[in-house]
Amino acid sequence: MRLSLPYAEAGLSDEGAAAHALDRLGYGPRPGQAAEVAARGVEAWVAEQLGPPAPDPDLDRRLAAVDFLGRSAEDVVTTYPPPNYALRLAVARGDLPDGFTPRDAEIRDRLDAWMEQQGMRPLRQLRLDVVEAKLTRAVHSRAQLREVLADLWFNHFNVDGRGQAIAYVASYERDAIRPHVLGRFRDLLGATARHPAMLGYLDNVRSRASAGTPVAHGRAPREGGLNENYGRELLELHTLGVDGGYSQDDVVAVARAFTGWTETPTRGRPDAIARQRELIDRLDRRGVGLVRDGLFLFRPNWHDAEPKTVLGQTLPGGRGIEDGEDVLDLLSAHDATARHIAHTVAVRFVDDDPDPALVGRLADVFRRTDGDLRAVMTALVEDRAFWDAATSGPDGSPSKVKTPFEFVASAFRATATPAGGVRQVGRALRDMGEPVFHAEPPTGFPDHAAAWVNAGLLLTRMKLGLQLAAGRLRDVEPDLDALTGGQQPESVDAALATYVAALLPGRPTAPTVQLLQPIVREPAFARRVAEAAGQAEAATATTLDDDGAFDDAAPAPFDPDDTAAFVVGVVLGSPSFQRQ
């Protein structure tokens, strides 16, 4: 792939352009990487990111122990049951006493042992593994752009991993999002539409034709009814956008088109599951249009088979799964979808309030290429606006502020720190407002600075930066020598100049050095940050259903006498490092 990248026209040096590409198309440069990419050619690195993923044996080795990655979607769900469900099973079989909850200390270890005997694993371990896999990929993957895009499109097609939903979300990110991030938007849309994580999150698993409505080979039973949640979010968030020109009638028609899109039963009393599956098998043998694809199940006896009209297009009566597939075809090819997706990409990679002209150019590419996301990303990096964003922020800084996860991943990469400390990283992300796969609203986490820039959250970032640089997070070992080639600066001022240049390659160093100089000369600063951050975290603490996965993970005390770690931590927590 030959690219034409107009970064020189934007006033960027080769190293400045390399650093900007590493920041925006990845999770930031590793020590010395910006200079390496500049020497090799920025075009070559960007083309590699846009191409098919190369073998990555180092990443494969690091992920080898993450259990869920090697399991099918159904196996993940059955291997990691909710603790209440597992306890009920154990009690029903007479293996554990009644009258306890999974959080009771008297029963928790016994329940874990019982689950291990049954081939099950605690759900809280899956939650930790999911964070470990995401952090490991962000920090170590060679295919950095794919990691950023996986984060972008998961957030666009958000599902919340609270409670038992994490067992579905684990395979959702792996199977529905990752394979399609540089493919056709229609394929990505279809994969999310069929995944039980989405169908369960937006209540489509229970959506069926209203009582008495014609369905395949009969009429709908009395129980159940239509649920509009997925239909509404499909139009408003996933495709057309809130101003996409649809009506409430369209929402209802789309919801009717997706009646019967549900999941294969996997949990409940074994006898009840067996009865449900036998009913499904009987329907399948009758040849009435039942569709099974992994955990996805289309039940024709739940589907509203009456005619429907969506955005002026008629869907004939008497059909089945074709109704939903035709709606996905219609929406993915719609002009409003092209604009909405182009705007989403421009916000993530260029600016919180992107130029409408840029959005229009990207939307044109989306239309011309039938929603080819690789073509859209290629157009983006060949657009001057992408490179202008390196200096269009306050005082010539980059235009975007890192989200908490972007901050954590970039800090690990910048300090050559292997991914680790999952309990404490998960806890820190929770404290900063972005727990992994845990955005409750369908809109996902916000992608604009206003959501992440306030005194309390910035204090938490500074505290985490100090702890990371000092190796005070359990199982986390930064390599600060990689920043200096093993040469230790001789003074605090020399350390500041050295580490600012190493951690913020391609950017002017003088403004950041001037800003941070009074801070690094104050030994008590780190202690005050830790105290203030603790107070801010306590004041804004939220309770999440994370099964205790990130509890009891307080880091070791910080040592302000370690000059290198102190200065690196201050730079990591500085306003300059928060921008990308």
Side-chain angles (χ1 to χ4, degrees):
M1 177 184 294
R2 299 189 64 179
L3 298 173
S4 177
L5 308 182
Y7 61 80
E9 293 91 323
L12 299 179
S13 66
D14 289 346
E15 185 170 348
H20 180 62
L22 287 160
D23 271 334
R24 290 292 173 93
L25 305 179
Y27 283 103
R30 300 180 70 81
Q33 190 180 15
E36 293 170 4
V37 169
R40 175 188 168 196
V42 180
E43 291 85 354
W45 184 85
V46 175
E48 181 181 84
Q49 296 300 306
L50 288 167
D56 198 342
D58 176 67
L59 180 64
D60 294 341
R61 176 182 59 80
R62 295 176 185 276
L63 293 174
V66 181
D67 176 77
F68 81 89
L69 292 176
R71 296 181 181 271
S72 69
E74 182 170 358
D75 197 17
V76 172
V77 171
T78 55
T79 300
Y80 295 91
N84 286 329
Y85 173 72
L87 183 57
R88 285 200 305 271
L89 281 180
V91 171
R93 296 177 184 178
D95 295 333
L96 290 177
D98 200 358
F100 292 95
T101 73
R103 286 188 178 271
D104 291 334
E106 306 96 300
I107 207 70
R108 183 165 173 167
D109 289 344
R110 293 175 63 186
L111 178 60
D112 286 351
W114 180 86
M115 291 174 64
E116 185 175 1
Q117 292 172 359
Q118 308 300 316
M120 301 175 184
R121 294 173 178 243
L123 196 64
R124 63 183 181 277
Q125 182 60 53
L126 177 61
R127 197 173 299 281
L128 289 169
D129 287 350
V130 164
V131 176
E132 180 181 357
K134 184 174 175 66
L135 180 65
T136 299
R137 284 169 162 151
V139 173
H140 296 288
S141 176
R142 293 176 57 187
Q144 282 284 288
L145 177 58
R146 288 178 178 270
E147 296 310 310
V148 173
L149 290 172
D151 184 75
L152 165 63
W153 292 119
F154 184 99
N155 204 52
H156 182 81
F157 295 101
N158 181 58
V159 296
D160 182 12
R162 77 182 80 182
Q164 68 180 31
I166 192 63
Y168 294 90
V169 170
S171 65
Y172 175 74
E173 194 249 10
R174 181 193 66 190
D175 301 338
I177 302 294
R178 287 186 169 276
H180 307 292
V181 295
L182 284 171
R184 291 178 62 245
F185 178 76
R186 171 62 178 87
D187 295 336
L188 175 61
L189 182 66
T192 61
R194 285 188 173 216
H195 200 282
M198 178 64 74
L199 296 171
Y201 174 55
L202 293 178
D203 302 314
N204 211 80
V205 290
R206 293 187 295 273
S207 186
R208 60 185 77 180
S210 301
T213 301
V215 298
H217 302 279
R219 290 186 175 273
R222 292 182 180 277
E223 69 273 11
L226 186 68
N227 189 294
E228 299 175 8
N229 287 354
Y230 179 67
R232 178 174 293 105
E233 306 308 347
L234 176 64
L235 295 171
E236 179 178 330
L237 300 179
H238 300 170
T239 58
L240 305 181
V242 68
D243 57 351
Y246 62 89
S247 68
Q248 175 59 22
D249 288 343
D250 291 315
V251 171
V252 173
V254 169
R256 291 173 56 212
F258 285 95
T259 49
W261 289 50
T262 184
E263 64 173 314
T264 299
T266 56
R267 286 181 179 161
R269 296 196 322 272
D271 58 332
I273 292 177
R275 285 196 302 271
Q276 292 181 62
R277 293 204 171 195
E278 174 55 30
L279 173 61
I280 292 166
D281 288 341
R282 287 204 304 269
L283 282 172
D284 202 7
R285 289 192 295 269
R286 288 171 57 192
V288 294
L290 184 138
V291 177
R292 285 193 268 201
D293 180 11
L295 283 176
F296 171 75
L297 175 66
F298 174 72
R299 301 184 67 148
N301 58 324
W302 287 12
H303 181 67
D304 181 337
E306 289 282 86
K308 308 164 189 71
T309 301
V310 177
L311 300 173
Q313 180 166 316
T314 299
L315 304 178
R319 304 196 306 169
I321 196 172
E322 300 89 350
D323 281 351
E325 296 291 350
D326 281 359
V327 168
L328 297 179
D329 289 342
L330 172 64
L331 295 178
S332 62
H334 199 282
D335 280 353
T337 298
R339 291 193 302 271
H340 185 53
I341 298 306
H343 185 268
T344 298
V345 170
V347 168
R348 179 59 178 257
F349 290 100
V350 178
D351 193 85
D352 291 357
D353 185 18
D355 183 352
L358 169 65
V359 173
R361 293 192 292 273
L362 296 179
D364 286 343
V365 174
F366 186 97
R367 294 187 195 98
R368 288 199 313 268
T369 62
D370 193 24
D372 184 334
L373 296 176
R374 178 180 280 106
V376 172
M377 290 303 302
T378 300
L380 174 78
V381 297
E382 292 190 319
D383 198 293
R384 168 75 181 269
F386 174 78
W387 302 99
D388 284 338
T391 56
S392 62
D395 301 320
S397 65
S399 61
K400 293 285 291 182
V401 170
K402 296 173 182 175
T403 66
F405 184 80
E406 289 169 339
F407 164 66
V408 169
S410 64
F412 270 74
R413 286 178 60 82
T415 55
T417 305
V422 175
R423 282 184 178 273
Q424 292 169 327
V425 169
R427 182 179 181 177
L429 288 168
R430 183 181 66 185
D431 292 341
M432 289 186 286
E434 194 184 14
V436 172
F437 300 150
H438 211 320
E440 294 187 13
T443 49
F445 290 115
D447 192 12
H448 52 81
W452 307 118
V453 178
N454 65 62
L457 293 179
L458 293 178
L459 273 171
T460 302
R461 293 190 187 207
M462 177 67 80
K463 176 184 173 183
L464 183 65
L466 289 164
Q467 292 167 342
L468 171 62
R472 298 291 170 172
L473 300 177
R474 195 174 302 126
D475 302 322
V476 170
E477 297 182 5
D479 182 7
L480 302 190
D481 285 345
L483 293 167
T484 62
Q487 301 290 321
Q488 295 298 319
E490 296 181 356
S491 67
V492 169
D493 287 348
L496 180 60
T498 298
Y499 291 127
V500 166
L503 293 167
L504 300 170
R507 298 195 211 172
T509 60
T512 302
V513 169
Q514 184 177 5
L515 175 68
L516 300 182
Q517 215 160 36
I519 297 174
V520 299
R521 291 173 177 173
E522 175 52 67
F525 175 78
R527 191 173 297 110
R528 292 202 299 271
V529 166
E531 293 171 355
Q535 294 170 359
E537 290 162 12
T540 60
T542 57
T543 301
L544 297 179
D545 185 5
D546 58 16
D547 317 298
F550 306 114
D551 292 346
D552 303 319
F558 180 76
D559 179 8
D561 295 328
D562 185 340
T563 299
F566 176 48
V567 174
V568 169
V570 169
V571 178
L572 293 178
S574 69
S576 299
F577 192 80
Q578 306 314 308
R579 304 199 75 89
Q580 64 174 10

